[in-house]
Amino acid sequence: MHPVTLLAIVIELVAIGAQSVLYLNRLREHTRLWCLVLLVLLLIFNIANGLFPDETYPIPIHVQHIIVNGIGFAIVSYFPFYFYRAFGLKKLRFLAIYGVPLFIVLPYLAFFVFGYSSHGDLTFTHRYGYIIPTCYSFILLISTGKAIWYTYRENKNRNRYIEEVAAYFAIIPWAFFAPVVYFQWGQLIETLFTNAGFIAISALLLYRTLNVSRAEQKLLAELELVPINLEAIERNSRFFALSSREIEIVHLICQRLSYKEIADKLFISDRTVSKHVQNIFNKTLVNSRSQLVKKMNDYDDRNV
């Protein structure tokens, strides 16, 4: 096993551990769950790529090649589903659910599982087995980029956009993975191609989580200074035409609950809470939780 591959495995184990702890604290934060699945797939790929092929193993060489390539195909198959589910890019639904079986899974079965098992010609398998999946990977890249930009134009969520773009750039090397395998550029290049971007994303997510947690704690401390006026909250909620769910969330925000605590109390996801809060901000013409709490508790505030 190449030392760089071993280093990638260690880093991914640490990242998986950290992300798992964070996910257990926010079980309804599904974006982190999809990211965890991706990291686990990368970890399995690195382990298999570092150990196979090896003639000293009792496993036939052709089976070892099928296993390594199969894990690689599984990761590529997961990409559109990851963006579709983790980031809610609805425009990728067809590519994720129908395109992947036709243009990635089927060629793998045809060329690697059945073809390579029967004729044993690895060069032929690599030469032709990657053509359709590689073309489809470029289509996925283009479609994913368009879906990210379309979603940003609709929602204008800058933080979400940065996270999506970072994930997008991390998958770009996989579109060029076929030449790396075909020309046998070595395990070092394969490891760098497949891992560098996702390790960076994991670090970004952990950094953002810590910053968000610190900011949330600071905000909650500031909100403690604002007294709660239930009559004002009810009157302002009617004035700004908030829905029943939005009124519930406003009350909980005014009670100084965090987004996670609100999600747990209402049995919804953190992301759903964020969407409701953004709608509340738009209706009440505020930009932060502190402004919202002050405005909703101000009995005389009618500056719409």
Side-chain angles (χ1 to χ4, degrees):
M1 181 180 293
H2 196 284
V4 174
T5 303
L6 180 60
L7 177 62
I9 290 173
V10 172
I11 293 174
E12 283 164 2
L13 283 171
V14 173
I16 289 171
Q19 295 283 11
S20 298
V21 171
L22 292 172
Y23 174 67
L24 290 175
N25 287 327
R26 295 172 178 262
L27 289 176
R28 292 183 178 84
E29 194 174 313
H30 297 305
T31 301
R32 196 177 302 280
L33 175 61
W34 306 127
C35 183
L36 263 172
V37 173
L38 182 57
L39 286 173
V40 170
L41 286 173
L42 283 171
L43 176 66
I44 295 172
F45 175 79
N46 284 324
I47 293 173
N49 196 40
L51 296 177
F52 299 149
D54 191 326
E55 295 181 353
T56 62
Y57 295 149
I59 305 173
I61 289 295
H62 78 278
V63 174
Q64 295 183 38
H65 280 293
I66 289 173
I67 292 173
V68 174
N69 283 277
I71 298 170
F73 272 83
I75 294 174
V76 175
S77 299
Y78 183 69
F79 286 150
F81 185 79
Y82 171 65
F83 280 95
Y84 167 58
R85 297 295 296 177
F87 300 115
L89 302 182
K90 303 299 183 183
K91 288 183 174 294
L92 296 180
R93 184 177 184 275
F94 177 83
L95 295 176
I97 296 177
Y98 301 104
V100 164
L102 287 173
F103 302 112
I104 296 181
V105 177
L106 192 59
Y108 168 72
L109 294 175
F111 284 92
F112 284 88
V113 176
F114 299 113
Y116 180 49
S117 296
S118 61
H119 55 66
D121 189 340
L122 186 61
T123 302
F124 174 88
T125 303
H126 280 165
R127 178 178 298 168
Y128 298 105
Y130 278 104
I131 292 177
I132 295 176
T134 299
C135 293
Y136 190 66
S137 295
F138 283 109
I139 293 173
L140 285 175
L141 280 179
I142 295 171
S143 301
T144 303
K146 288 181 177 179
I148 290 173
W149 176 242
Y150 175 81
T151 303
Y152 175 68
R153 283 195 310 170
E154 291 290 313
N155 301 329
K156 298 296 182 182
N157 187 330
R158 186 173 179 274
N159 289 333
R160 195 76 174 178
Y161 180 65
I162 291 174
E163 187 176 325
E164 291 170 354
V165 170
Y168 177 73
F169 277 104
I171 73 168
I172 288 178
W174 281 86
F176 301 92
F177 190 59
V180 175
V181 176
Y182 178 75
F183 291 108
Q184 298 181 350
W185 288 348
Q187 193 177 131
L188 173 61
I189 302 299
E190 289 185 19
T191 301
L192 293 176
F193 250 66
T194 56
N195 292 274
F198 291 103
I199 290 175
I201 286 177
S202 297
L204 173 66
L205 288 176
L206 291 173
Y207 176 75
R208 277 192 57 204
T209 300
L210 292 175
N211 279 346
V212 169
S213 297
R214 283 197 294 265
E216 195 171 65
Q217 291 302 318
K218 182 180 178 181
L219 177 61
L220 290 175
E222 293 175 353
L223 293 181
E224 291 293 339
L225 302 176
V226 181
I228 298 178
N229 186 332
L230 295 178
E231 184 179 354
I233 294 173
E234 289 294 336
R235 183 172 177 178
N236 285 322
S237 295
R238 291 193 300 271
F239 180 81
F240 291 113
L242 302 183
S243 68
S244 57
R245 175 63 86 185
E246 289 168 350
I247 293 173
E248 282 183 297
I249 291 176
V250 165
H251 276 283
L252 295 175
I253 288 176
C254 290
Q255 292 172 29
R256 285 58 173 174
L257 269 66
S258 66
Y259 285 2
K260 177 185 181 302
E261 291 170 330
I262 294 173
D264 291 341
K265 194 173 185 68
L266 299 180
F267 301 101
I268 56 179
S269 69
D270 291 17
R271 187 177 175 188
T272 302
V273 172
S274 297
K275 287 183 178 179
H276 282 304
V277 171
Q278 190 58 53
N279 290 335
I280 294 169
F281 285 177
N282 293 337
K283 289 181 179 180
T284 57
L285 302 178
V286 300
N287 297 312
S288 67
R289 288 182 59 177
S290 58
Q291 291 178 5
L292 177 67
V293 171
K294 291 175 183 177
K295 193 163 195 172
M296 296 305 291
N297 283 278
D298 188 345
Y299 192 84
D300 297 320
D301 190 355
R302 292 294 177 268
N303 299 318
V304 184

